[in-house]
Amino acid sequence: MNEKVYLEKASAPAAPPAKTAKPLPDDALILIPMRNTVLFPGVISPITVGRVASVAAAQEAVRSEKRVGFLLQRDPQTNDVKPEHLHWVGTAGQVVRYITGAEGTHHLVVQGQSRFRVLEFLSGYPYLAARVQFIEQKEELTPEVEARFLQLKAQAVEAIQLLPNAPEELTVVVQGMTSPALLADMVANLLDIKNEDKQDLLETFDLKRRLDKVLEHLSERVGVLRISKEIGDKTKKEFDERQREHVLREQMRQIQKELGEGDDTAAELEELKKAIDEAGMPEDVLKHAVKELKRLQRMGEGSAEGSMLRTYLEWLAELPWRDSAPGEIDIARARKILDEDHFGLDKIKRRILEHLAVRKLNPEGKSPILCFVGPPGVGKTSLGQSIARATGRKFQRIALGGVHDEAEIRGHRRTYIGALPGNVIQAIRRAESRTCVLMFDEVDKLGQGGFHGDPSSALLEVLDPEQNSHFRDNYLAIDFDLSKVMFITTANMLDTIPGPLRDRMEIIQLPGYTEEEKLEIAQRYLVKRQLEANGLKAEQVAISPETIRAIIAEYTREAGVRNLEREIGAVLRNVAMRIAEGVSKKIEIKPGDLHAILGARRFENELAQRTSVPGVATGLAWTSVGGDILFIEASRTPGTGKLILTGQLGEVMKESAQAALTLAKSYVRESLEKTDIHIHVPAGATPKDGPSAGVAMFLALVSLLAGKPVRSDVAMTGEISLRGLVLPIGGVKEKTLAALRAGIKTVMLPKRNEKDLEDVPPEARQKLEFVFLEKVDDAIRTAIGELPSPGERKAA
Ligand SMILES: Nc1ncnc2c1ncn2[C@@H]1O[C@H](COP(=O)(O)OP(=O)(O)OP(=O)(O)O)[C@@H](O)[C@H]1O
Ligand SMILES: [Mg+2]
C-alpha cells in the first residue's frame, strides 16, 4: 500500500548513477545498511535511502542489475557505518522499483530473496560491499515441520483477524501459502517485535527452530491481544504429533467456517461465469476467459493466486466488449450543442465540425486526432465534453501530466503484485463504452521515457489507427479494440509535445479571450453556473456588466476565464451569505462593492508604479500560459564595467542583453568603465519564444543611462541586432492580448511582424495603438522621447 503512494508521487528517476572504479567480484554483494528495518526473504518492502553511500549503492544496483544485501545496524543512530557496526547476516534482494521523490528522497521497493552471511568486507567502493555466502534453504516437509507450519498458519490467521488494522486479504494470502519458510519469514516481518529479535529470527537458519521461535513470538502476541490463550499454551507444551495435527486441522476448519468460506465461493464463481458469458466478448477472448475460469475453480478457495485471477476475470467481464455504436453524427445538432455550450470560438467550432463531418463521411478513415492547445481555462476540456455531448458519446479524461512510466498507460503484467490495467483500459471501463470520447490532458507534460519505458511511445500506440484496433494492455494480455474511441488531446504549449505524437494530431490553437469576450462568457455562462452552485436564484442578485468588467480588469489577469469564474463565485458566496442572514431579499453588486468582498484590487496600479522611475521597461512575453507582460529592470552601481544578469534569463537572452548594452552605450555616448550594470527579469514568466526582449532591455538601459523613464502605457517586444535593427518575434496574438489585459495603450512590434496583426482580434486592434519598429531609434522616439544630451544629464 505504501508502494502505491510512492509511485504516484514519483518524479523522474535519478540522474545517471555514479561510475565505480573497479567491478565487483562475482561472489560479492553491494550492501545497504538499515537503521530500523530487517528485510526478510520473500517480503516486498518500501525502503527510503538517504545516505550518500546508500544512494550510490542503490543506483549502482539498478544500473548493473545486481542484487543488494541489506544489513541491520547494531545502533540505528550510527551514521558513518563501518563493518563493526553491522550484523553480519542479512537478506539479499532485488530492487524492483527506484523512485526519486519530490524532495530529492530516494525510495526503493525491494523484494527480499535469500539469507546471506558476510565473509569479508571489501574496500575501495563508494558504498559498502562484501563477499558473502548465501544460506541455502532446504525445504523438506518433514512431519515435524509440517505440524508447526499448520499451527503457524492457523495462528497467523487468527492474529490477523484480531488485529484491528490488518487488511483482510492477508488472511487469504496466508492460507494459500505452501512454503513453511516463506510463511515463517512473512510472519516474522509482520511481527511487532524488537529489531534485535527479528535479526535473531533471520539468523536462525534451521527451519524447525525458526518456526518454533516465530510461533513463540506470535503466540505471545496473540496472548497480549487476549485471545485464544489456548493455542498459545499448546505451542509451549510437548504434544504427540498426531494429536497436535488433529487439533490444528480442527481449528483451521473452524476458522474457515467463521470466515464464511466454502459455500458462497461456488455462488460467486457462478456469478462470474454468467458475467463472462454475457459480456459479449469476441470468441477467442471468451475461450481464454472460460479457460481461466476453469483454472480458478480448480484452484479452490482463498489462495492468493486465486484471488488475483478472480480480479482479472472480473476486469474482463466488465469491459464494454459490445459496440454500443452511437447513432450517426448529426452535424446540425452538433453545431447547436457546441454553440449552446460555448460563446464565440467560431473558427474553432468550425474546425471541430469539419473534423466531425469527415468522420461521419468516412468512419473507417484514419482521421487525425484533435489537439487543443492553449493557456489554462480557455475551454479545452469543456470543448471536449461538448463534443462528447454533441455526438452522443460518453466522456472520460486521462491526465498525462507527470506520467513517467509506460505502465501507467499500458498497465502492469499480472505477475506484478497489485497489478492493474493501465489508465486507458480503466477509462474505457469507466465510460462503459468503446465508442466514447477519451481526452488525454496535458500531452505536453508527458514525462520523458527512461527508467520504465517510454510513455509517449505507449501513447502513440494507443492513438495510432494502424495499431489501436488490437491494443494490448499488459495486465489484460489480450487484444482490445480501441479503434472506435474518439481521442482528443490537450496541451498548454506545442513545443514540448513529443514530435511523433504531434505529427498525428490536428492542432487547434485557443489563444485566449479579450475583455469583451470574457464579459460575454461571464454573463452567459459563468454567473449562471455560480448562481446555481451557491443556491441562488437569478432574481436575488443583480450583477451589472460594469461590475464584471471591474472583476476582469482588476482582479484577474489571465488568458482564460478560470479565475474570473472563481472570483464571481466568491462574490456570489458573499451574496448568498447575506441573503441567508436575511439582510435583504435582493442584492445588487456594484463595482464599488468589490473592494469589501474581494479585497484590494490586484492588478491596478502596477504599471504606473513600476515604470515611474528610469530604468524599467514593460516587455511582452509569450509563455506557456498565454501572453504576459514583464517588467525589465536595469540599475547601475559603481564597479568595473560588468554586466550582471538575474532572474529568468535563458542563455539566448543573455546574448541579447549584451547586445542591448553595447547598443545603449553608443546611444547615450557614455563609457561605463567605472559602473556595473545590472539587468533583472523577474521570475514567474519563462518566455517560450527565446530572445524577444531585446528592445525592452535596450529601452530599460537607455532609460537608465539617460535618466528618463519609459512611458508606462507602452509595451514592447522585438529582438535587436548590434546595428540597431529590430528583428521579428513570435506570439504576436498572445502578447497583444496580454497587453490589452494589462491596460497598455501602445504596443511596439517589429515592422516585420506587421502581417501577424490580422490574427489579432478586432477588439484588440481597435483599442490598442500599434507602432512598428524598423530601428531601435523608433522605439526611443515613441517610448522615451527626446534624449537629454550628456551635458544636460550632468546638470540635472
Ligand atoms: N467560450 C466559452 N464559453 C463558455 N464557457 C467557457 C468558454 N471558455 C471557457 N469556458 C469555461 O471556462 C471554464 C474553464 O475551461 P476548461 O476547464 O475547459 O479549461 P481548459 O482549457 O481545459 O484549462 P486547463 O488547461 O487548465 O485544463 C469551464 O468552466 C468552461 O466551461
Ligand atoms: Mg482542462
Side-chain angles (χ1 to χ4, degrees), residues 326-386:
E328 272 216 329
I329 298 172
D330 176 346
I331 299 292
R333 192 181 111 91
R335 174 176 295 132
K336 195 172 134 266
I337 290 179
L338 285 180
D339 280 338
E340 244 167 57
D341 292 350
H342 293 90
F343 169 79
L345 301 175
D346 295 335
K347 231 162 131 183
I348 284 146
K349 288 179 193 160
R350 200 167 62 235
R351 285 188 63 187
I352 292 174
L353 288 171
E354 283 164 11
H355 181 90
L356 294 180
V358 171
R359 259 186 182 263
K360 173 179 171 154
L361 295 179
N362 185 9
E364 304 302 321
K366 316 213 173 309
S367 41
I369 286 126
L370 286 179
C371 177
F372 296 131
V373 180
V378 291
K380 300 182 295 296
T381 303
S382 80
L383 274 174
Q385 286 165 328
S386 201

Side-chain angles (χ1 to χ4, degrees), residues 342-343 376-382 513 521 525 529 561-562 565:
H342 293 90
F343 169 79
V378 291
K380 300 182 295 296
T381 303
S382 80
Y513 299 112
I521 294 173
Y525 299 94
R529 205 150 50 207
V561 292
R562 182 155 305 138
E565 178 161 7

Side-chain angles (χ1 to χ4, degrees), residues 583-626:
V583 178
S584 141
K585 284 226 163 34
K586 170 161 185 163
I587 291 179
E588 191 184 345
I589 303 286
K590 299 200 211 70
D593 305 328
L594 292 177
H595 184 92
I597 303 175
L598 298 177
R601 298 171 188 182
R602 252 161 263 164
F603 297 111
E604 181 198 20
N605 284 323
E606 199 180 359
L607 269 183
Q609 274 169 17
R610 294 283 287 261
T611 52
S612 63
V613 289
V616 183
T618 311
L620 292 172
W622 185 23
T623 72
S624 59
V625 295

Side-chain angles (χ1 to χ4, degrees), residues 87-151:
H87 292 276
W88 282 35
V89 171
T91 299
Q94 200 79 43
V95 177
V96 292
R97 286 284 219 198
Y98 183 113
I99 294 140
T100 310
E103 301 85 14
T105 50
H106 300 257
H107 303 289
L108 310 179
V109 178
V110 298
Q111 179 166 32
Q113 287 169 337
S114 50
R115 289 174 161 76
F116 68 88
R117 186 206 309 271
V118 171
L119 298 176
E120 176 195 12
F121 276 90
L122 302 172
S123 57
Y125 297 90
Y127 40 76
L128 286 167
R131 289 185 45 241
V132 304
Q133 175 198 15
F134 288 102
I135 314 292
E136 298 297 336
Q137 294 270 355
K138 277 195 259 34
E139 282 257 37
E140 264 185 64
L141 213 59
T142 59
E144 286 168 314
V145 166
E146 187 173 24
R148 288 170 173 80
F149 175 39
L150 292 173
Q151 185 154 7

Side-chain angles (χ1 to χ4, degrees), residues 172-173 175-177 299-308:
V172 182
V173 174
Q175 292 197 327
M177 287 181 88
M299 219 174 273
E301 9 185 298
S303 75
E305 205 196 336
S307 84
M308 286 196 298

Side-chain angles (χ1 to χ4, degrees), residues 6-52:
Y6 287 140
L7 294 181
E8 284 180 355
K9 286 198 179 152
S11 68
K19 294 271 178 303
T20 47
K22 48 180 177 175
L24 221 48
D26 278 343
D27 61 343
L29 273 181
I30 301 166
L31 299 177
I32 292 185
M34 313 264 272
R35 292 183 199 271
N36 277 315
T37 317
V38 178
L39 182 69
F40 283 91
V43 169
I44 292 187
S45 170
I47 284 170
T48 303
V49 291
R51 283 173 277 188
V52 178

